[in-house]
Amino acid sequence: MIASPLPDLVGRHRECAALDELLIGLRHGASRVLVVRGEAGIGKSVLLEYLAARASRVTVTRAYGIEADMELPYASLHQLCAPFLGELEKLPTPQRDALRVAFGMAAGDPPDRFLVGLAVLTLLTRASETRPVLVLVDDAQWLDQVSLQTLEFVARRLLAEAVAMAFAVRDPEGQAALDGLPALRIGALDPAAAGELLEATVGGRLEKRVRDRFVAEMHGNPLALLEFSRGRSAAELAYGLDSSSHPSTRVPIACRVERDFVIRLGALPAATRTLLLIAAAEPSGDARLLVRAAASLEITTHAAPAKAAGLIEFGESIRFRHPLVRSAVYHGAEPEERRAVHRALAEATDPVLDPDRRAWHASQAADGPDEEVAAGLEQAADRARQRGGIAAEAVLLERAAEVTPDRWPRGRRALAAAEAHFSAAAPDRATELATLAELCPLGALDRARLARLRARILFARSRSDEAAPLLLEAAAQFTAAGSTLARETYLEAISATIFAGRVHGPAGARAAAIAARGSGAPPSGSKAADLLLDGVAALLTDGPETGVPALRGALELLAHEELGTRESTMRWLLLAPVALEAFIHYAWDLHAWDALSSRAVRLARDIGALGALPPALIYAGGVHIHYGDFGEAARMIGEADALADSTGHAPHKYATLVLAAWRGEADVAAAIIEEAKQRADQQGEVSLLGAMGYIQGVLFNALARYEEALEAARTGIEHDGFNFTGLSLVEHIEAATRCGELDQARASLARLVELTRAADSGWARGAGARSRALVTEGDEADGLYRTAIKEFGRGGVTVEVARTHLLYGEWLRRNNRRASAREHLRTAHEMFDGMRAHAFAERARRELLATGEHVRAREDKPASALTPQESQVAGLAADGMTNARIGAELFISPHTVEWHLRKVYTKLGINTRRALPDALASTSAGDTGGQESRCGTPGSPRTRPRGTRAR
């Protein structure tokens, strides 16, 4: 809104102090973020003006949200970044190209919005090197969606930059916007302050009774106090408001103020009202466009009465006194008046420079179906998609469908709009548009797309197995239409049933696999995807003996397939989780897990796909858990959670839980386990129950709580899922032998042998040998333990090498071979202690004490004080990366990199970058606990070197 002079803001001392504190921090080089929240008219905009007025020696840049049906992607962000675009060429190439495409300055693949966010962060950071930067965003709830999402990402990534961001958000309309960021809630003025403001406005003291009644009617809302007292003397107010023009106090204040504006507008000349309507209909505030549109309507730009009434300001841009004025102008006009204004604006808008805005105004000017208008909107939607504006694409396609006269293209456009709304995380709107599409005639391919969309919406709302039959139906329709989408949809159906935790039954993964194999679906265009579907389908229908070799055929392509476009890379990233689950749980192949997850991390970083990066990091973190490098695993999980927070996604609690289980952190695990079980019950994510069985089996075996481990692992086994059965069997066998349930242990061993026979990997052979050793005695058991150590070492599964040393040592001690027992128990203790697997280390320590050996307490190394982000930054810096490149890798600014490095230097006791490699190597050597020397036999494959990371 247009602010009043700002020497002192009546009744806002607390709020002004908070804003002053933000500026103090900014001038000292600290990042700050604040969201000012409150109802319409409460004073949010005035507080932003207060902040701007006090921001001396600070670069201020602004964006304004405008309430409008128009959705132009990145329009608000472009407005905010305009002062800094002279530095665009200095950005790293991927960031520069993403921002140029987003702002319509160049053509290219649709940019990832998070890469655009990183580009904006870098742009602001570079500007702050000269002077601190203050970003002010008013009415943020009305920014175009992708601009708001991008600015939220930037706000969440600020840490050590001289950049502050202050947003004003109207409640309740914007309650969901910028949720979780630091907030300053603005309430009503107290009666004394409201009375002071009222008396200052009317220019004289009021009788207390009159003042108190008026203040009570306005509910302490400053805008209402100012507007309803405007032009009225103290004497006039003494007789009260005209009840005929001011409705009941039970009506919300915002509505009462807007109605008051409507009444005041009626007193203006007709030409002035039309001029205001043009300004209200065009959210860009472009004064030159307004003049051209006014000329088209043959009216003069007679703005003086509106300016005199304090309703609007005219300059290079046009600003209404308050958004409620714009709303009153636009909604108070007759429909034909609004259409005429939009028609004039369409004619006045350059069809070459701004075709999207022209298409939108033309659509609002239409008084019925119009194919030419609909085609223009469809073209605008395509341009929005190319710029990465999915929400804008959805809105434009929806309007195109509304004005399409013929039912066939209307159905096609409605379906495309529904798909775009779903991609923009608006499933309710997608459902409505899908229903509209269903009422129109559709071709075979479009009917298949509609069936797939409905299944995806259902699966997004509840991870149950109800979506699988719909996906199978869609896949069959794609097959009948000869579409390359058929095999992809079959794989999606299988994946959905796996996630829902069902293998058997009519809606299970096996039924989906049988349907896929017998479908005769044409090739998808990706050989890797086709081989993966064949392998997973064979695994589910024929079992591991046939499925695992088929999966290995897909591995080489998945690991090395050339991906020439962003689209092909995104498709690969969608396939990776299905492949990883198969290789982890059925091929028992840690090296394949490593290769695929490392490539997923690298690809996601390379194209800036922040939506795909967190799950890739989680899978890569799982590799490091099994390598016994819990520190690196924690760093990856920490980065994944930080990115999830920045992008508004839920954190990946499963990975945190697995790490907590291996560390033996029962308190950390308990709350997450309970939350996961509730989620499984509420959302139908039955696969979580299988995961919980395995994880609790690890945790309780580590804590030597074997009866609980037995029950938990049984849950993982009995769960009808694709994943975790094999891993749960391993935990169940150990717990059962400790509980004396040998029949249960032998039954589980038989199932484990069946599951691992086809894998023929070190991990699988090690699991089989150790599990057989647990139910065997004498020389045979002795040999099996030794074989298990050797095989786990070949497979690189360091945590299982350590566990086997522990179990072997326990077995040797029970057989009175104390000297040999000490050797293996000592090895287990050193390895677990080095990993920080506290519960397993304590179990080994107790066994060592029972053999008569004294065990020294561990001395923590300085690196243990490093946070996951600090460790990640330090490792990349030690590898020789510059701060700029590290920032691009981790989606943070170079300033934040330098801030982390300063903390690392202090914690490691060094003062130069050159000292990092040696400092990290010395602490890492202490962390290994001697594990690499005991991971297998000479010549066996070693785990990934500690200095390397998945990128």
Side-chain angles (χ1 to χ4, degrees), residues 8-24 34-39 42-52 54 166-167 183-190 193 220 222:
D8 291 303
L9 297 181
V10 175
R12 295 302 188 201
H13 302 299
R14 176 184 69 88
E15 293 83 356
C16 290
L19 298 179
D20 290 340
E21 184 65 30
L22 180 146
L23 281 175
I24 292 170
L34 190 64
V35 181
V36 181
R37 294 185 176 277
E39 67 176 6
I42 207 65
K44 304 179 296 298
S45 300
V46 173
L47 286 168
L48 289 195
E49 293 298 335
Y50 171 88
L51 193 56
R54 297 181 67 86
F167 302 86
L184 175 66
R185 297 195 175 276
I186 313 300
L189 292 174
D190 63 49

Side-chain angles (χ1 to χ4, degrees), residues 617 620-639 659-660 662-663 665 799 831-838 858 863-873 875 920 923-924 926-928 931 946 948-949:
L617 284 166
V623 172
H624 284 280
I625 290 174
H626 286 81
Y627 280 162
D629 191 349
F630 292 0
E632 184 67 12
R635 284 190 283 275
M636 290 183 165
I637 294 167
E639 184 185 356
L659 187 57
W662 278 100
R663 282 175 165 169
E665 297 170 338
V799 288
M831 293 178 73
F832 282 132
D833 201 37
M835 299 173 199
R836 270 71 165 186
H838 308 299
R858 174 185 176 82
S864 65
L866 297 182
T867 66
Q869 185 86 88
E870 289 165 359
S871 298
Q872 188 94 350
V873 169
L920 292 176
T923 55
S924 292
D927 285 346
T928 63
Q931 67 198 50
R946 284 184 164 270
T948 64
R949 287 167 176 78

Side-chain angles (χ1 to χ4, degrees), residues 531-532 534-536 538-539 544-555 583:
L531 285 175
L532 179 60
D534 292 342
V536 172
L539 188 65
E545 294 280 354
T546 303
V548 171
L551 281 171
R552 293 201 179 281
L555 173 62
F583 280 109

Side-chain angles (χ1 to χ4, degrees), residues 258-605:
E258 184 173 340
R259 290 178 186 178
D260 187 68
F261 283 137
V262 170
I263 293 169
R264 287 158 58 185
L265 287 166
L268 298 176
T272 303
R273 292 200 305 273
T274 302
L275 196 65
L276 288 175
L277 181 56
I278 297 171
E282 173 42 59
S284 69
D286 186 340
R288 288 170 295 185
L289 178 59
L290 179 141
V291 171
R292 293 197 301 270
S296 176
L297 290 171
E298 300 180 347
I299 63 169
T300 58
T301 51
H302 192 49
K307 291 168 69 175
L311 298 175
I312 197 167
E313 273 188 1
F314 286 91
E316 285 191 12
S317 63
I318 302 165
R319 294 180 62 196
F320 281 92
R321 172 177 176 78
H322 190 277
L324 290 177
V325 179
R326 177 187 293 275
S327 180
V329 169
Y330 191 78
H331 296 294
E334 294 297 324
E336 182 50 45
E337 293 175 319
R338 290 198 293 265
R339 285 194 293 272
V341 160
H342 280 293
R343 192 175 300 113
L345 283 165
E347 293 171 359
T349 302
D350 192 305
V352 176
L353 296 179
D354 207 347
D356 299 343
R357 194 178 301 276
R358 182 185 177 94
W360 181 261
H361 282 305
S363 76
Q364 297 302 102
D367 57 0
D370 188 319
E371 177 57 32
E372 183 179 352
V373 169
L377 287 167
E378 190 171 29
Q379 292 167 5
D382 186 60
R383 287 189 291 270
R385 181 185 60 79
Q386 288 296 325
R387 293 170 61 186
I390 298 174
E393 178 192 9
V395 171
L396 290 163
L397 284 169
E398 180 176 350
R399 180 59 179 155
E402 289 173 0
V403 297
T404 300
D406 188 82
R407 295 177 67 235
W408 278 91
R410 187 191 310 149
R412 176 178 56 78
R413 286 165 179 158
L415 174 58
E419 290 174 327
H421 274 299
F422 179 71
S423 296
D428 291 342
R429 201 76 198 103
T431 300
E432 293 174 17
L433 269 297
T435 301
L436 173 61
E438 202 166 28
L439 297 174
C440 299
L442 296 172
L445 188 58
D446 285 342
R447 286 197 300 274
R449 287 171 53 202
L450 179 61
R452 183 177 64 173
L453 175 62
R454 287 204 176 279
R456 286 175 169 176
I457 293 172
L458 179 62
F459 189 69
R461 285 176 167 157
S462 173
R463 306 294 202 204
S464 70
D465 52 13
E466 295 176 12
L470 297 179
L471 284 167
L472 288 175
E473 179 187 341
Q477 291 180 34
F478 280 129
T479 300
S483 170
T484 57
L485 296 173
R487 294 178 68 84
E488 178 184 307
T489 308
Y490 276 119
L491 193 59
E492 189 175 349
I494 293 172
S495 179
T497 56
I498 288 170
F499 199 97
R502 301 287 185 221
V503 169
H504 301 95
R510 190 168 184 274
I514 292 171
R517 292 186 80 181
S519 67
S524 67
S526 166
K527 191 172 181 182
D530 291 343
L531 285 175
L532 179 60
L533 175 60
D534 292 342
V536 172
L539 188 65
L540 286 161
T541 55
D542 300 335
E545 294 280 354
T546 303
V548 171
L551 281 171
R552 293 201 179 281
L555 173 62
E556 185 68 20
L557 277 175
L558 287 165
H560 303 292
E561 182 181 28
E562 290 189 14
L563 305 168
T565 65
R566 178 184 176 84
E567 184 179 358
S568 63
T569 302
M570 286 302 301
R571 187 176 183 181
W572 190 98
L573 288 168
L574 291 172
L575 290 175
V578 180
L580 281 161
E581 293 294 340
F583 280 109
I584 293 166
H585 297 290
Y586 286 88
W588 298 73
D589 191 335
L590 188 59
H591 299 308
W593 182 358
D594 190 356
L596 290 177
S597 61
S598 296
R599 189 178 194 205
V601 170
R602 186 173 65 255
L603 290 173
R605 290 198 196 281

